[in-house]
Amino acid sequence: MRVPVVGLLGRPGQRRELVRSVPPEEFGDEPWGPTVEVLDGSIDLDLDLEAVAGGILVRGAVRASAQATCARCLIPVVQGWEVEVLELHRPVAGHTDADDDGAEDDDLDYRLVEGDTQLELDQMVRDALVVGQPVRVLCRPDCAGLCPSCGADRNIEPCDHGDDRTVDPRWEKLRGLRLPPADQDGA
């Protein structure tokens, strides 16, 4: 997704708002992360574009909703999340390797495109949403999950297995192990 910035570049202090709902297809077809199966609806951008001496500073919020699977009971879940962004998009023109003091940080930068007249927001939005998504999706905080013995969904029906789990036979000898009490003085 490209946004023109012709009136901003080279005019520090100038600002422009970018508030849009954008279909996820406009950001490419790469996966959206480990917990997301598919995005559900549009990606909402509420961004402020500000011209600064080093380029265009983009700050604001990116919101998305995705279909995922509960990590405990495996039912489909729609999960929404919001990520705050603060990223500098630098012009390509006039950039030399000497500006980087020998460091190869081009992979960490966002660059202006089309002769420094447009922002390319695809990678910035994708990076923010992938890094900002929940590590583990739950259908609800107190999800009881699946029974490891019979596979029943403990949220729907209780099973008589409780938390009794069979012990691996290789560890069975440890049941009889009795350790002496720890010394209270630490000696």
Side-chain angles (χ1 to χ4, degrees):
M1 176 185 160
R2 293 188 175 184
V3 177
V5 291
V6 175
L8 291 177
L9 195 61
R11 297 181 178 157
Q14 292 289 320
R15 293 176 182 235
R16 182 181 306 156
E17 283 187 355
L18 176 66
V19 179
R20 279 192 197 152
S21 289
V22 183
E25 300 82 40
E26 288 196 32
F27 295 101
D29 57 358
E30 294 177 35
W32 287 94
T35 61
V36 171
E37 292 172 13
V38 64
L39 288 182
D40 187 45
S42 299
I43 296 172
D44 296 326
L45 305 175
D46 187 0
L47 304 173
D48 185 34
L49 313 177
E50 179 181 357
V52 294
I56 305 294
L57 186 66
V58 178
R59 76 175 93 206
V62 178
R63 290 176 212 76
S65 182
Q67 295 176 15
T69 302
C70 177
R72 291 184 186 158
C73 68
L74 305 178
I75 66 166
V77 177
V78 175
Q79 172 106 25
W81 76 103
E82 178 176 326
V83 181
E84 293 294 320
V85 294
L86 178 63
E87 299 291 347
L88 178 65
H89 292 252
R90 299 187 322 173
V92 176
H95 174 72
T96 64
D97 290 335
D99 294 338
D100 290 334
D101 296 328
E104 299 219 8
D105 66 342
D106 286 341
D107 290 341
L108 304 175
D109 288 345
Y110 296 108
R111 300 274 184 204
L112 296 172
V113 294
E114 295 290 323
D116 295 338
T117 62
Q118 295 185 12
L119 287 176
E120 177 69 66
L121 295 179
D122 292 8
Q123 195 62 47
M124 183 198 76
V125 169
R126 183 173 287 285
D127 290 349
L129 289 176
V130 169
V131 170
Q133 68 186 251
V135 175
R136 195 165 104 161
V137 175
L138 298 176
C139 61
R140 61 182 196 228
D142 63 340
C143 177
L146 301 176
C147 174
S149 298
C150 68
D153 186 347
R154 292 180 178 173
N155 296 313
I156 298 173
E157 60 185 77
C159 63
D160 59 355
H161 297 107
D163 284 330
D164 293 339
R165 295 186 182 138
T166 58
V167 176
D168 186 324
R170 294 172 291 181
W171 298 100
E172 190 62 41
K173 289 277 186 187
L174 292 177
R175 279 193 194 268
L177 180 64
R178 300 292 176 244
L179 298 175
D183 186 17
Q184 301 297 337
D185 297 350

